[in-house]
Every structure is written in C-alpha cells, then in structure tokens.
Amino acid sequence: MAGFLDEEFLLTNATASELYHNYAEPMPIYDYHCHIEPKEIWGDRRFENLTQLWLGGDHYKWRIMRSNGVEERYITGDAPDREKFQRFAEALPRCIGNPMYHWCHLELKNYFDYQGILNAATAQEVWDLSCEKLRESEYSARGFIRRSNVAVIGTTDDPCSDLAYHRLLATSDFETKVYPSFRPDPALNPHKPGFAAYIEKLSRTAGVEICCASDVAKALTRRMEYFEENGCRSADHGLDEIVYREASAEQVERIFQKAIGGALLTKEEAACYQTYLLMHCATQYARLGWVMQLHFSCMRNPNSRAFDLLGADAGFDSMAVTDSCGNLYALMDALERRQSLPKTILYSLNPADNQWIDTLIGAFQSSELPGKIQHGSAWWFNDHKTGMTDQLISLANLGILGNFVGMLTDSRSFLSYARHEYFRRILCNLIGNWVEAGEYPADLDTLGSLVQDICANNAKRYFRF
C-alpha cells in the first residue's frame, strides 16, 4: 500500500515517477492566470495564522465548511480566527476524494514541513506550528512565491486600474515577473447592476467622453494601449455563456442608451451589445498579440438569499448548462473572416463541453504558431484528479496534447502553487500509463521534452514571457 502523500503520490508506475521527478518537478511555474492582488506582492504581505492565509478568501474551503453544517460566522463572519480554523479542521477529514484534502496537505508539507494529518485532534498542533513559521522572515507573500519557483504571475486587472503596483514591481529587484491581464467584464455587461456607473468611471480613466457605444470601444482601446505599455500579454473574460448576436450599429446604439438610462435589457439586447464589444476587443487583442481567455458556463449566485446576505463571489456559484457551442463557433468564425482571431484559450465550467471544445479548436488552428487555439486547463470545479485527467485525455484524443499550455492556479492564495505539483503528478502518471501499456514508445528524451513543454515551456512561448 502506498503511503499518503509520499514521494510517489499519484505516480503509479516507474515511467511516471521518472517523468515527474526528473523532468516535471524542477520546472519553473508560469502562473499565467490568477487573482492575487499585486499590492500584496509589492508590500510582501505577511499573515499571522492559517485562517488568514487559508480561509480569508478561499471559496473552495468555504463551501466545504457550509457542506459540513458550519455556521456562517465561522466562515465569513466575525468568529475568532482560531475557532474558524478548528471548524475547517473538523470538516476536512470528511473530504475523501475531494482535491481540497490533497491540496491542504500538500501545502502543509511543502510550506510548513508538516508531515502529519490535519483533523480536529491535530488542529492545535498545526496552528501552533504554522503561527511559529509565519513569524519567520521568509514566510511572506514573496517568500511563498520564491519557494514555489514561480517565474511569472499573470494577475487579473480592471481596465480602470492604474497598474501602480505592477509598475513598482517591474522596477524592483523581485525575481518573479508580475504582468497585468485585461479584464473588461463590467463594460461588457449592460444588463448587470452598476453598468452606468462603471461607464462613467471608464470615461474618466480613459479620458474619453463616452456618449455612445463606439466611445466605449474607443475607451477600452485606449486602456489596452496603457496595459500594453505595462507588459500586458493577455485579456480575460468571465462570461455566463458565450453569446453571438449580430446587430446594426444603430441597434447597438439604442441598446447602449437604454442601458445607460437604467432600463432593463432583454437577454437578446444584452447579447447584441456584448457581441459588438467582444468582437471589437478580440480584434484589438489580435493586433496587440495578446491571448484572449474566455471562461464560460457558470451560473452566478443561484442562491438569492445568500446573495442578499453576502453579495457576489462568496462561494455560491455553480456549473451551468448553456448553448455556447454554436455561439462560440459563430464568434470565432466572424473573427477568422476578418483575420482578427487572436490566440485564444477556452475554459468551460461544464466538463460535458470538453469534446466539442477540442473539436472546435481543431477547426481554427493556424500556421501562426502551434496550438494557437487552446482548450484551457480543467477549471474551478473541475481542477480535481478526475477533471484534470478527463480534460487531458479529451485533448489528447482530439488534438495535440504536446502543445497544451498547462496549469494555472486561478486563485487568490499564495499557497495555491501546490496545485501545479498536483497537475504535474497527474499529467506524468497519465503519460506513464500510456507508455507502460505500450501505447507510446519509452523514449524518455521525447517524453521528457513533452512533459517540460506542457508544464512550462509552452506557456512561456505562447504568452511571450
């Protein structure tokens, strides 16, 4: 029987072990999409305890605690940090089969040298050890990044951001490069609360008087130029679903004026406006050489009572079943006809979308570079062993796995880099299984190169890091 979280964790054969330890493990991390605050990196934030470090903004952990019947005051409320941690430690042992069980213990092992098991009885031991370690100088935001061998961090930034901390980091002696990513969602959602106020903010920031829809496009382009000057390589869109509705300039203008006036839009009207601006943004991304990342099939805030109490982004979102396939095809085809389809990564929160995504990306590849259109890493509710394996197998079956840009954290935590180790072990074991079954030659030079490309080199090339 294998030992829990030993050196061969998730590695079930000799080929997998050699690929991981000799090729994958030493590679630097290119975390091209996350939600870490650059201010915290610049200020080298320190944490007093594991509750601050783990539970401060981790929706995964909040959901586990809620599922274990924990009162909200111990999750997002005003309960003491030690008591919050105790409630989490009580819930964690029940999470057999959940990646959170693996991630937490990998983080305790990798960052705090803790070899035991976290549960209700050991919570005080873990608390004391972590508090003691967190007082040491290297246990800080930058220290965790260095310890994780992170070469690049791609943050997620509002177009109105002044990127002040990115500029400070760019001229500092911090070894890890921190690049902004353009996230224009508020400007593309005329049907959501706060749209008019955001357009006013965008107008002030860009120095563009916004009177019509084309002015929004002009303002976003101006902000893209500013982001480009500050090292941006990527844009990201969080979409409930992919939409594509062609409309005339006059129709789009009427919709924009209606939204600015505070009137409710129909779903069709919102889709027309979103299509207009998304097409504009994508065209600019192609011009700048940026990567366009599209995240979709997410149902936001289905629990309206929880939303009223805690607001958005509190751990109540879920997967959605959407008709994004036909709309995504139409969107990409329209951009391709204009010769304006940028490098694109597609992420669906619904794993049932894996195969159509993998066939769709094959229809829009280009001699511009290998793997121009990507199926993104298993995302959010899918970044567990089964989800990662299914995404890798689907991409291998229907595309070219060797051109995949690999893992990202998509996280707000400075300890989430352990998820790259988790992914790398799963990747190496999958490839090792194929080799051991005689489905691919035992050519370690070729295999090692493939693994290192997927773990780091492909992302470095793709994003021009």
Side-chain angles (χ1 to χ4, degrees), residues 5 26 76 184 202 214 239 253 268 281 413 442:
L5 226 66
T76 60
L202 177 64
S214 62
L239 306 168
E253 185 55 38
E268 187 75 15
C281 288
S413 171

Side-chain angles (χ1 to χ4, degrees), residues 182 202-203 205-226 273 276-277 280-281 284 287:
F182 192 76
L202 177 64
S203 176
T205 304
V208 173
E209 184 179 3
I210 298 180
C211 300
C212 58
S214 62
D215 290 335
V216 179
K218 180 180 178 181
L220 288 175
T221 300
R222 185 167 292 184
R223 296 308 295 166
M224 288 181 211
E225 298 290 354
Y226 180 75
Y273 174 85
Y276 164 75
L277 265 192
H280 169 79
C281 288
Q284 297 304 310
R287 177 180 65 85

Side-chain angles (χ1 to χ4, degrees), residues 255-302:
I255 294 166
F256 174 74
Q257 295 301 332
K258 184 177 177 180
I260 286 294
L264 292 177
L265 300 184
T266 67
K267 185 175 181 179
E268 187 75 15
E269 287 173 330
C272 290
Y273 174 85
Q274 287 179 307
T275 301
Y276 164 75
L277 265 192
L278 189 56
M279 287 288 292
H280 169 79
C281 288
T283 299
Q284 297 304 310
Y285 303 155
R287 177 180 65 85
L288 294 167
W290 289 5
V291 176
M292 178 171 70
Q293 301 186 66
L294 301 178
H295 293 80
F296 55 93
S297 290
C298 178
M299 181 176 289
R300 301 285 181 180
N301 310 306

Side-chain angles (χ1 to χ4, degrees), residues 365-374 403 462:
Q365 299 295 3
S366 164
S367 59
E368 181 182 338
L369 78 163
K372 176 182 175 180
I373 313 300
Q374 292 272 332
N403 290 336
Y462 191 74

Side-chain angles (χ1 to χ4, degrees), residues 410-429:
D410 192 29
S411 172
R412 294 167 176 82
S413 171
F414 288 100
L415 301 190
S416 289
Y417 303 113
R419 298 178 193 178
H420 282 263
E421 175 184 342
Y422 195 61
F423 167 82
R424 292 175 180 188
R425 288 177 178 273
I426 290 167
L427 170 70
C428 291
N429 194 64

